[in-house]
Amino acid sequence: MDSAPTKDTVPGELSASPVPLKILVAGGFGVGKTTMVGALSEIPPVSTEQEMTSLSEGVDDLSQVPDKRTTTVAMDFGRITVDESMILYVFGTPGQSRFWFMWDELAVGAVGAVVLVDLRRVDDCFPAIDYFENRGVPFVVAVNEFPDAERFGDAEVRHALVLPPDTPMVRLDARDPESCRAALVALVEHALTRAVA
């Protein structure tokens, strides 16, 4: 039995499904992962944000994010339709080390990752950078420019993060969809370049 033709197909041909690409947004605690997924997603994002309790006292450093009241305990999820041929599925990882066991599950099938960096807390991004470097997963470093963060040039940031020359670095505001999309474009281009090489 032949498939019923759709408005986009020639009779007798099957409609082509869009290619799904899985992308991770990773980084330290409170760096803006949930915010970025929400800014990008065309659907209401799925979030596992939970109220922080007294159990996180002395474990989670709130000194740079004193207004933070919730935290991701599993993942965030959003979707972006690029065009008829491609859909991006964006997964935000949890930031605290006690939830890192989720990263292995989330990383399965991912074409790459955006590692968010808060320059007020540079050390928090190293576990994510190490994770993707050690597994050979393409990634870009995205400096989330918080208003009260000190400003450093690209060369200084790259040096502080010990980034290889071929690792792209971008700057964004995790609340701004346009700058977040630019980071995804940089990641996809980087992943394609690595795949060709």
Side-chain angles (χ1 to χ4, degrees):
M1 181 173 175
D2 290 335
S3 293
T6 66
K7 64 177 183 170
D8 298 324
T9 61
V10 175
E13 290 184 358
L14 296 176
S15 61
S17 298
V19 174
L21 295 180
K22 182 180 184 181
I23 292 174
L24 301 184
V25 177
F29 170 71
V31 77
K33 299 178 296 295
T34 299
T35 302
M36 182 176 178
V37 172
L40 285 166
S41 185
E42 67 193 18
I43 61 171
V46 175
S47 178
T48 59
E49 287 274 294
Q50 295 294 316
E51 289 289 327
M52 296 179 68
T53 68
S54 59
L55 295 176
S56 68
E57 291 177 13
V59 178
D60 298 325
D61 180 8
L62 296 174
S63 60
Q64 295 298 326
V65 283
D67 296 329
K68 188 167 179 60
R69 298 290 176 258
T70 61
T71 189
T72 299
V73 297
M75 66 173 188
D76 299 306
F77 171 77
R79 184 186 75 202
I80 308 161
T81 302
V82 177
D83 55 31
E84 293 179 354
S85 65
M86 185 182 300
I87 293 178
L88 302 181
Y89 295 114
V90 184
F91 290 82
T93 66
Q96 299 99 313
S97 59
R98 64 185 178 277
F99 298 127
W100 284 350
F101 68 91
M102 290 291 303
W103 288 30
D104 287 334
E105 293 298 322
L106 292 172
V108 172
V111 298
V114 175
V115 176
L116 280 178
V117 176
D118 179 351
L119 292 180
R120 300 170 301 177
R121 299 173 292 139
V122 172
D123 289 348
D124 291 353
C125 73
F126 286 115
I129 290 173
D130 291 345
Y131 181 89
F132 298 115
E133 278 184 343
N134 291 337
R135 286 158 181 79
V137 175
F139 68 95
V140 299
V141 168
V143 177
N144 190 6
E145 299 200 296
F146 288 89
D148 58 341
E150 194 172 345
R151 301 294 181 227
F152 297 95
D154 287 358
E156 291 174 283
V157 175
R158 294 185 71 86
H159 178 74
L161 299 179
V162 197
L163 292 181
D166 63 336
T167 301
M169 189 183 84
V170 299
R171 294 177 185 263
L172 58 74
D173 178 336
R175 302 165 298 182
D176 174 48
E178 287 302 317
S179 63
C180 292
R181 278 194 284 272
L184 294 187
V185 168
L187 172 61
V188 172
E189 289 175 348
H190 177 55
L192 287 172
T193 299
R194 283 190 42 168
V196 169

